């Protein structure tokens, strides 16, 4: 019987890659494909191929029963006999859950701590788990498929290594939607031990270009806390201000905090680059102290975009942690013991606990108030009103929450904090008030408005005539919602309610991430509103994947995924929900207004920075723009350029935005590098002799006063890199695009490492002048006259003003590179000499330019996909 599936490009390429690796002698493989790209079919094809070629039976491990059922159904569509869910492994294909293996005895801790040597994990398994391990060892040649294997990075990795390593003849394939580029160092090490290098990967943008996933837009609704929450946050901000004032006091501790870091950083046993690599978060907090003018810039450090922002509560916690562990806890002085005691009392107010071992998280009350703000529930209703206005009857929305009901306030949270919000039931309440008929779908409840619940019972009976259901008021909600009760469980009601939702009997489902996450499949979902707090890459990818399925009934489907973000601008920790929003988009790619596919919050809105939320006065403008975008799905689809060629690779880019009033929108344009202005005088003219007098004095004067534009700074860097031996194609390889807001985007058409270096050097050149070792001036020529022209040609023109730039460290590292930079600078801006910061000229320049950016611009580093 022919196979019932036609393989997509990704599936066929992944199978070929696995086969090449198998022929080369590898026994373990790892494939990363986006949600909805067909990992189940890919795995089933591999199982079928190995079964047919070698008689090799298969065991599939899946994270939950929903995905287990999908594997069984997919295999049975092949018509090669049923798949089994029994532990005896006698069937050709057995599909089990990870929990069926990782079931520990009641007297043992569930899971494992890989940092502790507690003997064999297999020995600690429940009898059923040990029996399954024995069956695996006795089963002979096997193919083992580990579906959604990102779970192994968090829960079962050490156990599976112990189970799989002794098996003599087993092929192991890990399937996941988590791309390798976002793994932490520990996760990458575990993956390497289990599988080795990834053999094939495809990204979400690639799947959209292929037409495998629907085009989509990431949108955000920004809100402030409610009045009650604002009042509580104001008192919390006062306590925080008192704490930070005390921390900066000169006599607070025998070695005050700033003195500690001045010594600590000044006496580093390793170069700053090594310290920054090993302790990136602490290094960022230290450089934010520098940006605030509280510390000197460490030798070798560079202030980048992420450092030019106010210190956050997390920054203060990291700094205090280092101070406590490295200084105060080692002191026997009563003064330092008193400081530790003060910190123990004060730090819980901003969500941290202090001991002599340092600072640890304690559950921030501020973060809980913001992440579960009452205004976020109301905003969800506003979002769906905008979506219904845009889509009408096509609207199929899913609202994902953490909990069905608000949990009691944690004992670690301040007792006077506002009431808990953020429950699925509270969202239901807001949606009902807004005129929707939502359905609550969780692991323990199916509920709707009273009249809608009765209609839903009839719909579900039509789908499953044997279903015996009734409705009853949901306790504690004054009869606004009725739940469906009967002899059923979530295994039965989830697929039934999903079918009713797909068919249009309800247009909004409200549920929990645990139920509406991986394994839940509803291709008609048009809109997803994410109110959950989970921000791991796997959780974000899986949650957003629910909306990206292609809808056979709507070939031009474009999905929207909304994040609702609450910001308290007057509180030092008031950006915690924004930072969660940033983490959710870190490494996640979407299309921006210019049709560029970029990672991070920049694809939501070009005005968004990953390091600080926007000013609250533009919240209404952002909200209006986002609501308008829901009605522009055809524009969003066009920006994705479905069906066009792509490389499926990621490059770093830098955006440069001029400060000042916003500009009137203009069509995006590409800026091509012209012949360098001063090079047109000939190299002799550049260095200041009169040998090349082909130009008239008037031409020379006009050319000297001409501004080559902001892009010339990128061209200078690219040319200097070539001349300095750092690689790249020079200015001709710079891609410079100006978007509708006047923001420049620069990329270098070179290999990944060279293009990344280019981005860093441009940012350093345009960044604040703080402590460069070398400087260079851009001279402003006098108004063009014939006399000025002759002085230009003779190399004797005196500038009327100059702007100082710090020479990027890599381009000032030795005399040869400095000469290369001078020459590149001269070609674009005219003759200038690199001067040492410690010279008389350099010292005067630093005094005048310290802490300022040479141009009134903001630099933003981004990653783009092509």
């Amino acid at each position: 019987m022919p196979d019932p599936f036609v393989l997509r490009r990704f599936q066929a390429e992944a199978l070929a890659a696995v086969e090449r690796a198998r022929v080369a002698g590898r026994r373990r493989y790892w494939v990363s494909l986006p949600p909805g790209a067909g990992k189940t079919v890919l795995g089933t094809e591999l199982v079928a191929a190995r079964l047919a070629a070698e008689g090799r039976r298969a065991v599939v491990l899946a994270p939950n029963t929903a995905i287990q059922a999908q594997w069984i159904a997919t295999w049975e569509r092949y018509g090669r006999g049923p798949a089994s869910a029994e532990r005896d492994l006698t069937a050709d294909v057995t599909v089990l859950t990870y929990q069926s293996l990782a079931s520990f005895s009641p007297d043992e801790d569930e899971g494992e701590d890989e940092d502790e040597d507690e003997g064999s994990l297999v020995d600690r398994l429940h009898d059923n788990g040990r029996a399954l391990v024995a069956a695996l060892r006795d089963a002979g040649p096997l193919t083992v498929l580990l579906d959604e294997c990102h779970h192994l990075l968090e829960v079962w990795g050490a156990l599976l290594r112990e189970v799989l390593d002794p098996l003599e003849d087993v092929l192991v394939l890990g399937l996941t939607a988590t791309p390798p580029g976002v793994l932490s160092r520990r996760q990458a090490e575990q993956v390497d031990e289990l599988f080795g290098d990834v053999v094939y990967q495809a990204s979400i943008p690639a799947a959209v270009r292929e037409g495998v996933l629907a085009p989509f837009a990431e949108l955000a609704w920004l809100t402030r806390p409610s009045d009650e929450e604002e009042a509580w946050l104001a008192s919390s901000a006062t306590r925080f201000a008192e704490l930070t004032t005390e921390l900066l006091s000169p006599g607070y501790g025998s070695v005050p905090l700033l003195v500690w870091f001045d010594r600590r950083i000044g006496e580093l046993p390793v170069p700053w680059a090594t310290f920054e690599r090993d302790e990136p978060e602490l290094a960022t907090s230290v450089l934010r102290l520098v940006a605030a003018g509280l510390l000197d810039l460490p030798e070798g450090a560079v202030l980048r975009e992420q450092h030019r922002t106010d210190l956050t509560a997390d920054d203060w916690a990291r700094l205090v942690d280092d101070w406590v562990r490295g200084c105060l806890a080692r002191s026997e002085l009563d003064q330092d013991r008193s400081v530790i005691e003060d910190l123990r009392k004060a730090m819980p107010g901003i969500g941290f606990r202090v001991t002599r071992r340092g600072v640890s998280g304690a559950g921030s009350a501020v973060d809980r108030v913001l992440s579960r703000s009452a205004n976020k529930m109301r905003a969800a209703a506003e979002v769906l009103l905008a979506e219904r206005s845009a889509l009408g009857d096509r609207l199929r929305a899913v609202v994902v929450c953490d909990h069905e009901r608000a949990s009691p306030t944690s004992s670690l949270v301040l007792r006077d904090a506002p009431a808990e919000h953020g429950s699925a039931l509270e969202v239901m309440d807001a949606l009902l008030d807004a005129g929707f008929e939502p359905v609550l779908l969780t692991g323990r409840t199916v509920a709707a408005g009273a009249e809608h619940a009765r209609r839903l019972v009839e719909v579900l009976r039509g789908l499953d005539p044997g279903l015996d259901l009734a409705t009853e008021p949901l306790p504690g909600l004054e009869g606004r919602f009725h739940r469906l009760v009967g002899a059923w469980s979530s295994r039965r009601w989830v697929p039934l309610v999903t079918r009713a939702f797909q068919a249009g009997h309800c247009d909004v489902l409200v549920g929990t991430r645990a139920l509406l996450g991986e394994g839940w499949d509803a291709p008609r979902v048009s809109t997803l509103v994410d109110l959950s707090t989970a921000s791991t890459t796997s959780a974000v990818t899986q949650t957003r994947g629910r909306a990206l399925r292609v809808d056979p009934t709507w070939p031009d489907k474009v999905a929207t995924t909304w994040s609702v973000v609450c910001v308290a601008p007057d509180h030092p920790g008031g950006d915690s929900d924004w930072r969660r929003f940033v983490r959710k988009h870190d490494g996640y790619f979407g299309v921006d207004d210019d049709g560029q596919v970029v990672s991070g919050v920049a694809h939501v809105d070009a005005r968004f920075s990953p390091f600080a939320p926007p000013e609250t006065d533009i919240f209404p403008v952002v909200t209006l723009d986002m609501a308008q975008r829901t009605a522009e799905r055809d524009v969003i689809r066009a920006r994705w350029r479905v069906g066009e060629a792509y490389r499926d690779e990621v490059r770093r880019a830098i955006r440069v935005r001029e400060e000042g009033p916003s500009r009137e929108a203009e069509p995006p344009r590409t800026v091509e590098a012209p012949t360098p202005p001063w090079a047109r005088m000939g190299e002799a003219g550049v260095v200041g002799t009169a040998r090349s007098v082909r130009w008239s004095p008037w031409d020379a004067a006009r050319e000297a006063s001409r501004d080559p534009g902001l892009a010339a700074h990128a061209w200078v860097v690219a040319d200097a890199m070539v001349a300095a031996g750092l690689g790249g194609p020079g200015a001709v390889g710079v891609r410079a695009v100006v978007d509708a807001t006047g923001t420049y985007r620069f990329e270098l058409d070179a290999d990944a490492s060279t293009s990344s270096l280019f981005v860093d050097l441009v940012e350093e050149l345009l960044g604040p002048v703080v402590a460069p070792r070398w400087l260079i001036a851009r001279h402003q020529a006098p108004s063009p006259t014939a006399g000025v022209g002759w002085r230009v040609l003779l190399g004797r023109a005196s500038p009327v003003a100059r702007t100082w730039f710090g020479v990027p460290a890599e381009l000032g590292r030795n005399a040869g590179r400095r000469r290369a930079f001078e020459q590149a600078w001269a070609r674009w801006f005219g003759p200038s000499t690199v001067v040492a910061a410690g010279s008389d000229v350099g010292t005067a320049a630093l005094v005048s330019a310290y802490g300022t950016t040479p141009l009134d611009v903001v630099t933003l580093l981004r990653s783009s996909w092509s």
Side-chain angles (χ1 to χ4, degrees):
M1 180 180 296
D3 291 343
F5 301 105
V6 176
L7 294 184
R8 299 166 177 165
R9 171 183 170 179
F10 297 153
Q11 294 163 331
E13 290 179 350
L15 276 174
V18 170
E19 182 61 17
R20 287 195 298 271
R22 188 190 69 82
V23 171
R26 280 185 64 169
R27 313 292 286 175
R28 297 187 182 183
Y29 328 100
W30 177 34
V31 170
S32 173
L33 293 178
K39 292 188 293 294
T40 306
V41 170
L42 164 64
T44 305
E45 284 282 346
L46 178 67
V47 167
R50 292 300 98 214
L51 183 64
E54 305 174 43
R56 185 181 291 270
R57 291 178 296 166
V59 176
V60 179
L61 293 175
N64 57 46
T65 55
I67 296 178
Q68 178 188 29
Q70 289 176 13
W71 275 93
I72 291 173
T74 302
W75 178 254
E76 290 178 350
R77 285 179 62 188
Y78 273 74
R80 299 181 180 178
S84 171
E86 300 298 325
R87 297 166 178 261
D88 58 15
L89 310 187
T90 56
D92 286 340
V93 177
T94 301
V95 186
L96 304 170
T97 62
Y98 288 115
Q99 291 89 337
S100 64
L101 172 64
S103 175
F104 290 88
S105 299
D107 59 339
E108 299 285 357
D109 294 331
E110 293 190 5
E112 75 283 339
D113 185 342
E114 296 182 50
D115 296 326
E116 297 182 10
D117 183 9
E118 298 184 1
S120 169
L121 291 170
V122 171
D123 292 343
R124 295 165 51 201
L125 290 175
H126 187 278
D127 289 346
N128 290 338
R130 287 199 295 271
L132 180 55
V133 171
L136 284 167
R137 290 173 177 170
D138 295 339
L142 280 178
T143 299
V144 175
L145 282 91
L146 306 173
D147 195 15
E148 305 297 358
C149 66
H150 55 266
H151 287 273
L152 309 181
L153 308 178
E154 300 155 9
V155 186
W156 299 296
L159 172 62
L160 277 163
R161 284 202 306 273
E162 190 174 326
V163 170
L164 295 175
D165 285 350
L167 301 183
E168 294 182 358
D169 191 3
V170 60
L171 303 178
V172 182
L173 174 64
L175 299 170
T176 183
T178 302
V182 300
L183 300 181
S184 68
R185 182 182 300 180
R186 180 179 178 182
Q187 290 172 333
E189 289 171 354
Q190 193 168 59
V191 165
D192 188 61
E193 291 178 14
L194 275 167
F195 306 110
D197 296 335
V198 64
V199 297
Y200 184 82
Q201 61 177 310
S203 66
I204 288 177
V208 173
R209 283 282 178 92
E210 286 286 331
V212 172
L213 297 181
F216 64 93
E218 288 279 341
L219 306 174
W221 194 284
L222 308 183
T223 184
R224 292 185 62 151
S226 67
D227 291 343
E228 177 194 14
E229 294 159 354
E230 289 269 23
W232 179 84
L233 286 163
S235 64
S236 172
T238 300
R239 291 193 293 269
F240 188 95
E242 292 170 349
L243 171 62
T244 53
T245 300
E246 194 75 18
L247 288 171
L248 296 176
S249 298
Y252 195 54
S254 62
V255 180
L257 183 139
L258 291 180
V259 175
W260 163 252
F261 277 103
D262 188 51
R263 294 179 185 174
R264 168 100 155 82
I265 301 305
E267 299 172 1
L268 282 177
V270 296
W272 174 262
T274 303
F275 175 74
E276 194 168 30
R277 181 198 66 200
D278 294 341
E279 299 193 52
E281 292 182 334
L282 179 59
T284 293
S285 300
V286 168
L287 291 181
R288 285 178 179 166
L289 281 177
V290 174
L294 298 172
L295 281 180
D296 292 333
L297 185 72
E299 184 177 354
V302 177
L303 286 184
R304 302 196 183 282
E305 177 191 355
Q306 64 266 36
H307 309 131
R308 299 190 290 271
T309 185
D310 294 337
L311 283 99
T312 67
D314 284 346
D315 289 320
W316 285 110
R318 291 185 201 107
L319 296 169
V320 170
D321 173 67
D322 192 79
W323 184 42
V324 168
R325 288 188 296 106
C327 179
L328 300 182
R330 299 182 180 187
S331 171
E332 298 298 328
L333 297 176
D334 291 341
Q335 180 185 11
D336 292 332
R337 290 173 179 169
S338 176
V339 170
I340 291 178
E341 190 59 33
D342 286 349
L343 294 172
R344 281 177 176 161
K345 295 176 182 177
M347 293 292 284
I350 59 170
F352 297 94
R353 184 187 300 111
V354 177
T355 69
R356 292 182 69 86
R357 292 187 298 275
V359 178
S360 60
S364 168
V366 173
D367 185 44
R368 287 176 72 96
V369 168
L370 295 174
S371 65
R372 302 182 179 190
S373 170
N375 279 351
K376 292 182 72 168
M377 312 301 105
R378 302 179 188 117
E382 295 292 333
V383 164
L384 294 187
L385 285 172
E387 287 284 337
R388 184 166 65 183
S389 175
L391 294 179
D393 292 342
R394 283 198 185 278
L395 177 66
R396 298 290 187 278
V398 174
V399 183
V400 180
C401 306
D402 285 324
H403 309 288
E404 179 180 316
R405 295 175 181 267
S407 58
T409 300
S410 166
S411 60
L412 296 176
V413 178
L414 296 181
R415 294 179 182 177
D416 61 343
E420 290 279 318
H421 295 285
S423 70
L425 282 170
E426 190 169 1
V427 176
M428 291 281 291
D429 208 43
L431 292 174
L432 202 63
D433 287 342
F436 291 94
E437 290 190 332
V439 171
L440 178 70
L441 182 64
T442 72
R444 62 181 184 180
T445 307
V446 178
E451 179 58 35
H452 189 201
R454 286 189 283 272
R455 295 199 308 271
L456 187 59
V457 165
E458 297 305 315
V459 169
L460 297 179
R461 284 174 178 163
L463 296 174
D464 186 347
L467 198 59
D468 184 14
L469 293 178
T471 66
E472 65 180 25
L474 201 58
L477 294 170
E478 302 177 352
R480 278 174 67 83
F481 298 104
H482 283 223
R483 63 185 176 191
L484 279 60
V485 294
W488 64 343
S489 67
S490 60
R491 287 194 182 189
R492 193 173 185 186
W493 70 55
V494 169
L496 286 174
V497 173
T498 301
R499 287 174 61 190
F501 169 73
Q502 294 261 92
H505 297 293
C506 64
D507 55 6
V508 181
L509 288 182
V510 180
T512 55
R513 185 175 60 86
L515 199 67
L516 299 180
E518 58 190 12
W520 185 71
D521 193 7
R524 298 203 65 184
V525 172
S526 64
T527 306
L528 187 141
V529 182
D530 183 10
L531 297 179
S532 70
T533 57
S535 57
T536 63
T537 301
S538 57
V540 170
T541 302
Q542 292 296 336
T543 299
R544 277 149 171 70
R546 301 315 100 193
L548 303 188
R549 266 58 173 182
V550 174
D551 182 0
T553 70
W554 185 12
D556 294 330
K557 168 184 167 178
V558 173
T560 54
T561 298
W562 286 84
S563 298
V564 182
V565 187
C566 185
V567 176
D570 301 323
H571 194 288
D575 64 345
S576 64
D577 204 40
W578 177 265
R579 285 185 280 117
R580 179 180 296 104
F581 169 62
V582 169
R583 289 195 301 274
K584 287 186 175 187
H585 288 80
D586 187 23
Y588 192 88
F589 285 83
V591 68
D592 66 11
D593 288 346
D594 298 324
Q596 299 297 313
V597 180
V598 297
S599 73
V601 294
H603 68 249
V604 183
D605 192 293
R607 293 166 289 194
F608 288 177
S609 164
F611 307 113
E615 297 295 329
T616 53
D617 58 0
I618 74 164
F619 280 18
V621 177
V622 172
T623 295
L624 185 62
D625 290 347
M626 297 289 166
Q628 182 177 351
R629 218 175 295 179
T630 66
E632 299 175 342
R633 279 171 155 82
D634 55 338
V635 175
I636 295 167
R637 185 177 185 87
R639 287 174 181 158
W640 274 105
R641 294 181 284 161
V642 176
E644 293 188 18
Y646 60 91
R647 291 184 292 192
D648 201 10
E649 65 181 30
V650 175
R651 291 178 177 272
R652 294 179 73 214
I654 183 169
R655 290 178 176 242
V656 183
R657 185 179 68 229
E658 294 181 303
E659 291 282 60
S662 58
R663 300 172 32 166
E664 186 173 339
E666 300 176 359
R669 57 189 174 87
T670 300
V671 181
E672 301 290 347
T675 302
W678 287 76
R680 280 183 278 183
M681 296 186 193
E683 290 301 319
V686 168
V687 296
T689 72
R691 295 181 188 173
S692 178
V693 195
R694 293 174 298 155
W695 283 46
S696 74
W698 281 104
D699 287 339
R702 280 194 296 268
E703 197 65 28
S705 63
R706 186 169 68 87
D707 183 358
L710 183 60
H713 299 84
W715 299 328
V716 163
V717 169
D719 280 346
M721 287 175 63
V722 175
L726 296 175
V732 295
V734 175
R735 300 175 187 168
V737 177
V738 187
D739 69 16
T741 68
T743 298
Y744 283 75
R745 185 180 68 253
F746 301 124
E747 299 178 46
L748 187 66
D749 190 6
D751 62 82
S753 62
T754 304
S755 61
S756 181
L757 176 61
F758 164 79
V759 165
D760 287 338
L761 296 180
V762 173
E763 185 195 29
E764 199 173 344
L765 178 65
L766 297 178
V769 178
V770 179
R773 293 186 62 191
W774 303 91
L775 297 109
I776 196 167
R778 179 174 169 185
H779 303 297
Q780 181 181 335
S783 299
T785 66
V788 168
W790 279 111
R791 288 196 294 274
V792 169
L793 291 171
L794 294 171
R796 297 174 182 173
S798 298
V800 296
R802 58 171 58 91
T803 303
W804 288 98
F805 292 73
V807 177
E810 281 297 323
L811 293 172
R813 190 167 297 279
N814 56 48
R817 291 185 181 183
R818 292 194 293 274
R819 282 195 300 273
F821 184 73
E822 274 185 357
Q823 291 167 3
W825 189 271
R827 297 179 73 220
W828 293 98
F829 296 127
S832 190
T833 303
V834 169
V835 299
S839 67
D840 290 344
V841 174
T843 300
L846 276 178
V847 169
S848 64
Y850 183 82
T852 65
T853 53
L855 307 177
D856 199 10
V857 298
V858 175
T859 55
L860 312 166
L861 299 187
R862 301 293 180 258
S863 295
S864 64
W865 175 93
S866 60

